Amino acid sequence: MRPLPLRVIWSAAAAALVSATGLSGSAHAVTYGTPTIKLSASYLSGAVGSTGDPVVTVTVAQSGADASALTVAASRTSRAGVAGTGDVRVTGTGGTRTVAVTAHAQGYADLTLKVTGLGGKTATTTLHYAASPAVQRSADARYLTGASDASAGVDVGGGYVVVANDEDNTLRLYDGAASGAPVRTWDLDDALGADKEVDIEGAARVGNTVYWTGSLGNNKDGEYKADRNTVFTTTVSGSGAATQLAFGSAGHRLRDDLVAWDKANGNRYGFAAGTAAGQVPKQIDGFNVEGLEFAPGSTTTAYVGFRAPLVPPRTGGKALIVPVTDMDQVVRGAKATFGTPIELDLGGLAIRDLRRDDQGQYLIVAGSWAADDNSDPYALYSWDGVAGHQPVRVLDLPTADAGGWESVVSVPDLSVAGARVQLITDDGAADLYGDGVEAKDLTHPEWQKSRTTWFTLG
């Protein structure tokens, strides 16, 4: 019998292998779909020389491929002077990556992010980036995004702070140690029955109740807006990142009661003239409230601190506090009663915020009655809250950067050397990105921001 040809033997072996493995037909090459790339937000802000700027996340995927096999990088920038492709850092290896940008100059840049998948397939998306200029004490600064007109802040524990914005009626919870968007927000328009902003300017916490006050003055055009004549409360539950707020009550007559009280006492402070039609509130003889805190040892008497007027209304005048002795009832709509007014020598500056700790130590942010930005001096004073006792200047605040110093988060133990205090700026009138647009008018909330900075006392 003749032996079988070699090719027949190989064919038989191949057939046996197919039979043993269950394979049949011809093998097909793996195909990959076009990758996808999606940003958690298309807009991002940063600052030159900052520490811990906000970041965005990017989600990538590709059919037929594991997400870990995909690469993400910046492939193009519209303005390398602001941020180049090498200034974009992408970290992470799975389907979700983190994107951070280092700013080199003030301005805007569109950054193209490209995902490269298997099979050489790619996709892109655009991150619209805005960089504000460097500030003093940048290592101690963080940026609170989502709004630019921070006007009052309340410590809720764990480094978290609830911040009011004087251009809306939304309270925002932030991690005060990190730059970025609010953790949670509470829109109080409906609860307040407000058509316009209350112009929240001051806050004080008593136990789990936070008292908030509007500016009580006219608007910038000298027009009376009823919503600004508001004081209200919220109730805090939880703390830190788990903080929750519930609306309490509101009163809408404190401005009227202050005017009537001043009239009954000889118009000593000119409240009637300061609230008259056409009167701009931020004048040396205007009417504008910016500070709120409770008197030493009291849960009912609140100190209402005025940005305007100065007393007397001239250069070098004193700052004014009017005690409201029944603030716990005023926020429920009751008529206000008043204690003896307090006049403080703050070197010709007015009250921009007022904060007390549990030991009765106060800090006062003092600034100009006029300045919306840091064009005039600001200073920090300590005080014991006692009428007739004068405050002590403890710190001159830097004034070369954008934004006006507006709020004290909490008062540290002032008897301890090296105590640290956190202040917040109102950046609403600032031109953050060099295009002539005020921050409050920016169309993307990710580009709106206020700044928080830590200072060492003593």
Side-chain angles (χ1 to χ4, degrees):
M1 180 176 180
R2 295 180 60 188
L4 294 172
L6 185 59
R7 63 177 178 273
V8 174
I9 295 173
W10 278 111
S11 297
L17 178 62
V18 168
S19 176
T21 61
L23 298 174
S24 61
S26 58
H28 295 282
V30 177
T31 59
Y32 303 104
T34 300
T36 59
I37 179 169
K38 184 177 181 180
L39 291 165
S40 59
S42 296
Y43 295 85
L44 180 67
S45 65
V48 178
S50 68
T51 300
D53 262 343
V55 299
V56 294
T57 57
V58 59
T59 303
V60 294
Q62 183 184 27
S63 61
D66 189 277
S68 62
L70 280 58
T71 60
V72 180
S75 61
R76 183 181 178 278
T77 177
S78 63
R79 291 189 65 189
V82 173
T85 57
D87 299 314
V88 179
R89 303 178 310 284
V90 182
T91 56
T93 57
T96 301
R97 320 283 174 93
T98 300
V99 179
V101 182
T102 299
H104 288 294
Q106 181 185 35
Y108 299 95
D110 282 347
L111 300 165
T112 302
L113 301 179
K114 181 169 73 172
V115 57
T116 301
L118 299 185
K121 295 186 176 182
T122 64
T124 62
T125 190
T126 300
L127 177 62
H128 306 286
Y129 182 70
S132 57
V135 297
Q136 299 171 74
R137 307 184 65 89
S138 60
D140 293 316
R142 298 293 184 270
Y143 293 88
L144 311 180
T145 66
S148 60
D149 294 79
S151 55
V154 175
D155 186 353
V156 291
Y160 285 77
V161 56
V162 175
V163 178
N165 181 68
D166 62 26
E167 290 292 314
D168 59 32
N169 300 321
T170 297
L171 302 177
R172 296 169 172 85
L173 174 67
Y174 290 97
D175 179 352
S179 294
V183 175
R184 186 172 291 114
T185 62
W186 297 271
D187 183 341
L188 300 181
D189 277 344
D190 290 342
L192 289 165
D195 296 320
K196 298 289 185 180
E197 71 272 13
V198 165
D199 193 23
I200 303 170
E201 293 290 355
R205 182 172 180 176
V206 177
N208 290 327
T209 300
V210 182
Y211 291 74
W212 307 87
T213 182
S215 66
L216 308 184
N218 294 341
N219 70 6
K220 64 182 179 180
D221 298 318
E223 299 170 340
Y224 173 68
K225 298 295 181 182
D227 289 329
R228 293 174 179 239
N229 187 7
T230 298
V231 290
F232 68 96
T233 62
T234 56
T235 301
V236 179
S237 59
S239 63
T243 297
Q244 292 288 348
L245 296 182
F247 180 76
S249 61
H252 304 282
R253 58 174 297 169
L254 181 55
R255 164 182 160 133
D256 307 286
D257 292 340
L258 281 163
V259 171
W261 166 80
D262 191 43
K263 282 183 177 179
N265 288 276
N267 289 310
R268 179 177 179 181
Y269 299 117
F271 287 172
T275 55
Q279 175 66 51
V280 176
K282 296 173 185 176
Q283 298 291 329
I284 199 167
D285 59 351
F287 182 94
N288 195 79
V289 168
E290 291 218 356
L292 181 68
E293 187 52 274
F294 280 78
S298 180
T299 59
T300 59
T301 296
Y303 285 165
V304 174
F306 285 79
R307 177 172 175 168
L310 289 184
V311 183
R314 62 171 181 257
T315 300
K318 294 182 178 180
L320 175 64
I321 290 175
V322 176
V324 178
T325 60
D326 60 343
M327 183 60 86
D328 58 322
Q329 299 304 311
V330 170
V331 294
R332 293 179 171 87
K335 179 181 178 180
T337 58
F338 302 100
T340 303
I342 301 170
E343 299 173 9
L344 300 177
D345 184 358
L346 301 180
L349 299 177
I351 293 171
R352 302 299 290 270
D353 196 25
L354 184 64
R355 181 67 68 243
R356 185 197 77 181
D357 68 5
D358 292 338
Q359 301 177 56
Q361 304 174 110
Y362 290 75
L363 284 176
I364 301 170
V365 177
S368 170
W369 51 265
D372 281 323
D373 207 339
N374 283 354
S375 55
D376 286 318
Y378 282 80
L380 194 65
Y381 284 80
S382 65
W383 185 43
D384 62 7
V386 177
H389 292 188
Q390 288 302 313
V392 176
R393 196 179 188 114
V394 295
L395 187 67
D396 290 322
L397 298 173
T399 58
D401 304 319
W405 299 107
E406 191 78 4
S407 180
V408 183
V409 174
S410 61
V411 179
D413 186 347
L414 300 178
S415 66
V416 176
R420 301 260 290 170
V421 62
Q422 189 177 25
L423 305 183
I424 304 175
T425 61
D426 179 339
D427 285 30
D431 176 10
L432 293 177
Y433 306 116
D435 59 351
V437 178
E438 291 189 351
K440 69 178 67 178
D441 295 326
L442 293 166
T443 55
H444 305 292
E446 296 89 352
W447 287 353
Q448 293 188 13
K449 59 186 179 182
S450 294
R451 175 167 44 96
T452 168
T453 305
W454 286 92
F455 292 91
T456 301
L457 305 179

